[in-house]
Amino acid sequence: MMRRYQVRFGHFDDARREYVIDRPDTPLPWINYLGSEAYFGLVSNTAGGYSFYRDARLRRLTRYRYNNAPFDLGGRYLYVRDDATGDYWTPSWQPTQRDLDEYECRHGLSYTTIASARGGIRAETLFFVPLGETLEVWRVRVTNERDTAADLSLFSSVEFCLWDAQDDATNFQRNFSTGQVEVADGVIYHKTEYRERRDHFAYFACSEPLAGFDTQRDTFLGAYRGWDRPAAVERGAAFDSVAHGWAPMGSHHVKLALEPGETREVVFVLGYAENPRAEKFDPPGSQTLNKRHVRPTIERWLRPETVAEGFAALGAHWERLLGGFQVATPDTDTDRMVNIWNAYQCMVTFNMSRSASFYESGIGRGMGFRDSNQDLVGFVHIIPERARERILDIAATQMDTGGAYHQYQPLTKRGNNDIGQGFNDDPLWLILGVAAYLKETGDTSILDEPVPFDNVPGSEVPLYEHLRRSLNYTRERLGPHGLPLIGRADWNDCLNLNCFSDTPGEPFQTTENATGGSAESVFIAGQFVLAAKELAGIADLRGLGDEAAEYRAAAEKMTGTVTEHGWDGGWFRRAYDFHGRPVGSGENDEGQIFIEPQGMCVLGGVGLDDGLAVRALDSVAERLATPHGIVLQQPAYSDYRIELGEISSYPPGYKENAGIFCHTNPWIMIAETMVGNGDRAFDYYRRINPSVREAISEVHRCEPYVYPQMIAGRDAPTHGEAKNSWLTGTAAWNFVAITQWILGIRPELTGLRIDPVLPAAWSGFRATRAYRGATYEITVQKPAGVTGRVTHLLVDGERVDGTLLPVAPAGAVVRVEAVVTGPAD
Ligand code: BGC
Ligand code: IFM
């Protein structure tokens, strides 16, 4: 299939909450995620992708090859063979790429279907992970649409990863000899390392009697062959191979004789199991797998009724999750992102942090301290109890100094030092994450939960004490201007300002000098002001009035410092480098203005009273905004500069060097609402909204249903091209920007506020919002052309002055009407 030039590669089916891809050769693999609790998988529109249990690095079930072409190669491939002619193909198009007469992939909420037809044989596969299970189901329906009978073969295939994906990708000399499988009653068990330190295995089962199986990849494929022409499929018979070392895989061969018009359903189940230590061997001392306890699960999920019920339960689950917040605005792109895709992406980022996508390897990173706190800001209203658990997990990795590991491993929940420590913004995000949780739930009991430092038993203190230490961490680390020390970096991982060297041209950076260096961050200053005010509100809730006043005073003082040393005349400076020179200043030849402090300082309230905020935001509009979104800084660095670090290592227009780093854009949207500019806020919102950008899919190239981390900036030859889709804080922050600030439905510590800042052209909107057990049916009216704010609410017909809703009893359904009044635009 040669690619035709075209703008779109599919369409949204909002009623079914699906994105429908109608040709397989999308500009890049367009993917989806399976699973939402412990067992996860990635699946592309051509069935590429892999699966893991809890931890993409330590419990990888199926193998993925990094930097492959295309980059989703390796997957859940099914092969259909017409046994009369020997013609064979993959209904997912990849990897055989044989022409298909029809093709349709539907990515839905935690499931994907791929349907296609060739030569009168239709195959439709549904992939999903049932709730509460550690397995995935593939339900394949094969239909003979010919007017003659068809003798077909169906082959499944997965390649097993040898569990620790890092080791699997590097330690071949060992791993070529460790692979072990067992085939019993038609089920393929992958049990490599079952005998040693771990006690787990994978199973791959099929609902039909088998004509054969394979478990050794190179037998199945044949020598010098790839997944596009496996020998077993080509000859129409499996080899019944049993892997001893090399590359264990799983393949079932099923024969299907279909009458004209007949459909057969075949179910495959791929799962993960652990044995209690005592039952490891069966009988004790032998090397036979104890598989008794998984047989009932396997048998249950191979039954079509169980699959149908499990899939219906998944749909009901998502209906419950999303039903608590739905909006109807004049803008379809807004509605579908808020109601479906943005919320869904928040859930995926919450589960994955930045670990596993087609841009993140799953072996490079665990859960980010900073990232995971921000992810829950967008997700907390969907499953507050999981947000609670996450907060406690994150806080338990914090040091008693208030400092943080930058990342922790999801399986062990222990901090890892892969990237190191000393990102000085990290601790403050914990305050912001906890504040978001409290605003949503009102559950102050979390503050008294005993939480250890660095997971050391016996070191437990109430969570509230962790928050105090987070704030103090910044206060104890101020630089020459009284601004917070940046450490290794702040939110911008690539701004490494303590990168100094005794030898010109030689980078020299150790954790010690990086954290102890003297470079300062105006971004952290803004974040500190925000966090100190949040913590003051939390202290008030605990009746600690004096402490709250002290935090407010600290916020005030830092505001003064920012105004004195962080203001450049038209915008907020970004930082001071190790040598005390400003970064993000008109004094610089490049990198004169950065987006992050303009957003974060205004979010903290800096500049709202004295007009600095408005001036900073005007500078953003003039210097940083492009039709594809707002770039991170300007002018881009044209060369590497040792005193700035990694940021200057990117070519101009990419990533942190003046790319459109989407995560930062919603901070500006929020800031614009704070100064009352709904038109600008919403305009910025639409510039990076993936649904809006669907119309330019051949430029944007990434999935049109989720946010990417980055869109190439104006200095890049590929301006407008997206990269790093899915795992980005953009998801959470855009959700917050549109729902809490533009639509203005904003949880606060004392209740829900309704304070929209809308585009002038809108004539209002409606929303349903579940909040602390009650449901609010909200109508906001606004004459088109008017700008302004809501001054009072009608709550079940009763007037309430201001914009804060009284908290209703759990179970209540409350009608809220709000009218925007103000000047004509
Ligand atoms: C940035 C990368 C950077 C990495 C270093 C990421 O968040 O986007 O550009 O190399 O962090 O930690
Ligand atoms: O802030 C970081 C984030 O933690 C990971 N992705 C890139 C961002 C900016 O550097």
Side-chain angles (χ1 to χ4, degrees):
M1 202 177 291
M2 289 294 291
R3 176 165 312 141
R4 283 173 285 137
Y5 173 81
Q6 74 178 57
V7 172
R8 284 187 166 86
F9 296 82
H11 61 273
F12 287 91
D13 183 342
D14 292 338
R16 292 173 56 160
R17 295 180 173 144
E18 292 174 337
Y19 190 79
V20 187
I21 300 168
D22 45 38
R23 46 181 304 142
D25 55 343
T26 46
L28 293 162
W30 284 2
I31 75 152
N32 194 13
Y33 285 82
L34 309 176
S36 46
E37 296 158 328
Y39 183 105
F40 297 103
L42 285 72
V43 61
S44 74
N45 57 309
T46 61
Y50 60 89
S51 302
F52 58 93
Y53 170 74
R54 285 197 190 278
D55 193 311
R57 172 166 167 187
L58 299 177
R59 289 292 183 277
R60 183 86 62 102
L61 263 80
T62 61
R63 188 171 268 168
Y64 175 65
R65 281 195 179 66
Y66 309 94
N67 283 325
N68 218 325
F71 64 41
D72 64 335
L73 193 64
R76 300 170 184 82
Y77 296 132
L78 291 164
Y79 297 82
V80 177
R81 181 175 188 275
D82 184 338
D83 286 338
T85 62
D87 179 40
Y88 67 89
W89 67 97
T90 32
S92 55
W93 188 59
Q94 277 280 73
T96 61
Q97 293 198 8
R98 299 275 162 84
D99 279 351
L100 299 169
D101 303 329
E102 290 169 37
Y103 162 91
E104 185 182 85
C105 168
R106 288 178 172 262
H107 283 319
L109 304 181
S110 304
Y111 68 88
T112 286
T113 62
I114 301 178
S116 67
R118 175 178 164 101
I121 304 297
R122 173 175 299 279
E124 180 183 324
T125 312
L126 163 70
F127 301 96
F128 75 102
V129 175
L131 295 171
E133 300 288 355
T134 59
L135 57 85
E136 65 186 70
V137 170
W138 313 359
R139 185 191 66 194
V140 193
R141 287 185 174 146
V142 186
T143 304
N144 177 10
E145 293 178 336
R146 299 173 182 165
D147 47 19
T148 53
D151 284 322
L152 305 173
S153 277
L154 179 65
F155 292 85
S156 63
S157 69
V158 291
E159 187 178 357
F160 290 115
C161 179
L162 305 184
W163 300 114
D164 179 338
Q166 168 117 0
D167 186 67
D168 182 69
T170 50
N171 201 3
F172 314 127
Q173 61 77 26
R174 173 181 190 274
N175 296 335
F176 283 155
S177 294
T178 60
Q180 282 191 302
V181 297
E182 197 172 310
V183 184
D185 303 324
V187 182
I188 296 166
Y189 295 91
H190 173 228
K191 55 178 196 169
T192 302
E193 293 202 333
Y194 172 70
R195 296 170 53 215
E196 348 173 319
R197 53 191 182 274
R198 298 178 196 141
D199 197 9
H200 57 214
F201 60 91
Y203 51 86
F204 191 30
C206 171
S207 61
E208 297 295 300
L210 300 189
F213 63 85
D214 275 297
T215 68
Q216 180 61 278
R217 183 196 66 202
D218 294 345
T219 309
F220 175 75
L221 295 180
Y224 292 97
R225 282 162 175 260
W227 296 92
D228 55 334
R229 48 187 201 111
V233 179
E234 193 172 283
R235 74 173 197 157
F239 293 94
D240 294 352
S241 58
V242 175
H244 301 286
W246 295 113
M249 57 106 53
S251 174
H252 308 94
H253 176 198
V254 172
K255 288 208 176 252
L256 300 173
L258 298 185
E259 294 302 321
E262 186 182 351
T263 298
R264 285 279 282 286
E265 190 164 295
V266 184
V267 179
F268 297 94
V269 171
L270 173 66
Y272 172 86
E274 282 172 0
N275 275 339
R277 196 86 203 152
E279 293 174 25
K280 186 171 170 188
F281 298 117
D282 176 25
S286 86
Q287 290 172 11
T288 313
L289 199 65
N290 176 354
K291 46 205 172 294
R292 276 191 308 255
H293 70 293
V294 294
R295 287 301 311 194
T297 307
I298 294 175
E299 273 151 29
R300 196 151 45 86
W301 284 102
L302 289 177
R303 286 201 289 274
E305 320 79 81
T306 317
V307 173
E309 281 162 22
F311 186 54
L314 184 66
H317 172 72
W318 271 108
E319 176 59 41
R320 248 190 335 271
L321 294 185
L322 298 186
F325 196 178
Q326 292 284 295
V327 301
T329 76
D331 183 58
T332 310
D333 300 301
T334 300
D335 289 0
R336 75 162 58 106
M337 290 311 291
V338 170
N339 295 340
I340 308 169
W341 293 100
N342 194 174
Y344 180 54
Q345 188 179 1
C346 284
M347 169 79 158
V348 171
T349 56
F350 178 82
N351 280 322
M352 299 289 132
S353 194
R354 304 296 170 267
S355 69
S357 73
F358 282 118
Y359 304 87
E360 302 279 9
S361 66
I363 57 182
R365 299 171 184 228
M367 311 290 284
F369 192 99
R370 169 202 298 144
D371 298 326
S372 292
N373 274 304
Q374 288 180 84
D375 291 342
L376 67 84
V377 168
F379 176 81
V380 58
H381 68 287
I382 308 183
I383 311 188
E385 58 287 1
R386 289 193 63 200
R388 188 182 206 276
E389 184 190 346
R390 176 64 52 79
I391 286 170
L392 298 175
D393 287 349
I394 298 172
T397 68
Q398 189 179 28
M399 314 288 169
D400 59 4
T401 59
Y405 290 101
H406 198 49
Q407 295 176 352
Y408 70 96
Q409 240 13 74
L411 191 72
T412 60
K413 297 187 175 175
R414 298 286 192 274
N416 72 40
N417 258 328
D418 291 359
I419 295 194
Q421 302 171 25
F423 293 81
N424 279 353
D425 63 316
D426 269 338
L428 293 174
W429 292 112
L430 182 64
I431 299 177
L432 301 178
V434 172
Y437 174 79
L438 292 171
K439 290 174 182 179
E440 182 64 35
T441 62
D443 167 27
T444 51
S445 74
I446 194 174
L447 297 168
D448 296 311
E449 285 286 344
V451 182
F453 292 110
D454 198 8
N455 282 295
V456 175
S459 65
E460 290 82 0
V461 294
L463 176 67
Y464 184 71
E465 178 61 25
H466 282 259
L467 304 187
R468 282 181 173 144
R469 296 207 189 181
S470 289
L471 202 72
N472 284 337
Y473 181 88
T474 308
R475 292 207 281 189
E476 289 162 4
R477 287 167 181 75
L478 301 179
H481 298 90
L483 291 163
L485 292 177
I486 196 169
R488 281 178 65 112
D490 58 23
W491 172 89
N492 188 331
D493 285 332
C494 300
L495 196 61
N496 315 125
L497 301 180
N498 291 307
C499 256
F500 58 92
S501 167
D502 295 336
T503 324
E506 287 289 316
F508 173 65
Q509 186 179 350
T510 66
T511 306
E512 250 162 82
N513 68 35
T515 52
S518 57
E520 300 166 278
S521 164
V522 178
F523 172 86
I524 300 182
Q527 190 193 8
F528 175 85
V529 175
L530 177 62
K533 290 178 182 172
E534 295 287 20
L535 194 55
I538 296 171
D540 277 338
L541 286 184
R542 291 176 80 73
L544 301 172
D546 291 349
E547 196 174 315
E550 195 221 321
Y551 295 148
R552 289 198 177 95
E556 206 45 48
K557 184 162 177 233
M558 186 64 79
T559 301
T561 308
V562 171
T563 312
E564 191 180 344
H565 297 293
W567 181 251
D568 199 58
W571 55 83
F572 295 103
R573 290 181 171 174
R574 180 64 180 84
Y576 286 92
D577 71 12
F578 179 76
H579 307 282
R581 296 176 302 219
V583 177
S585 157
E587 291 176 23
N588 303 116
D589 57 341
E590 294 177 334
Q592 293 177 338
I593 169 171
F594 281 65
I595 191 172
E596 307 101 303
Q598 321 316 323
M600 194 47 73
C601 290
V602 179
L603 259 63
V606 183
L608 286 178
D609 299 335
D610 52 13
L612 299 190
V614 170
R615 287 170 65 194
L617 292 171
D618 285 346
S619 298
V620 169
E622 272 163 40
R623 292 170 178 254
L624 301 179
T626 82
H628 294 289
I630 312 168
V631 299
L632 192 140
Q633 51 98 351
Q634 282 288 288
Y637 295 114
S638 49
D639 279 309
Y640 182 63
R641 299 175 182 224
I642 194 171
E643 70 280 12
L644 300 177
E646 187 178 347
I647 187 170
S648 57
S649 71
Y650 287 111
Y654 294 101
K655 297 282 282 183
E656 284 87 341
N657 189 13
I660 296 158
F661 220 96
C662 296
H663 186 145
T664 60
N665 281 217
W667 295 338
I668 301 299
M669 298 169 205
I670 296 171
E672 287 289 1
T673 66
M674 292 175 84
V675 300
N677 199 337
D679 272 327
R680 237 198 221 161
F682 190 65
D683 178 19
Y684 290 148
Y685 174 74
R686 281 185 60 83
R687 292 187 201 196
I688 63 165
N689 181 322
S691 166
V692 175
R693 297 177 64 78
E694 186 201 25
I696 52 162
S697 283
E698 87 286 12
V699 175
H700 185 76
R701 299 185 79 232
C702 276
E703 295 92 330
Y705 40 90
V706 289
Y707 286 97
Q709 181 205 57
M710 188 213 53
I711 298 172
R714 68 155 76 105
D715 303 284
T718 59
H719 186 32
E721 180 191 47
K723 269 188 205 138
N724 297 18
S725 56
W726 281 96
L727 303 186
T728 162
T730 313
W733 278 105
N734 262 291
F735 196 85
V736 169
I738 184 70
T739 61
Q740 298 191 13
W741 295 90
I742 297 175
L743 301 181
I745 304 175
R746 187 162 65 248
E748 295 188 353
L749 291 175
T750 45
L752 192 61
R753 192 173 290 286
I754 311 293
D755 184 17
V757 183
L758 301 175
W762 278 26
S763 49
F765 70 93
R766 282 178 294 112
T768 301
R769 174 68 152 94
Y771 182 70
R772 300 192 189 177
T775 301
Y776 296 87
E777 302 285 357
I778 303 162
T779 308
V780 174
Q781 289 169 22
K782 181 178 90 58
V786 159
T787 57
R789 302 292 269 265
V790 169
T791 54
H792 65 275
L793 305 169
L794 290 179
V795 181
D796 282 334
E798 300 279 317
R799 185 186 166 108
V800 172
D801 285 330
T803 54
L804 193 63
L805 280 172
V807 177
V813 178
V814 183
R815 264 188 41 241
V816 181
E817 289 159 80
V819 181
V820 174
T821 49
D825 190 28

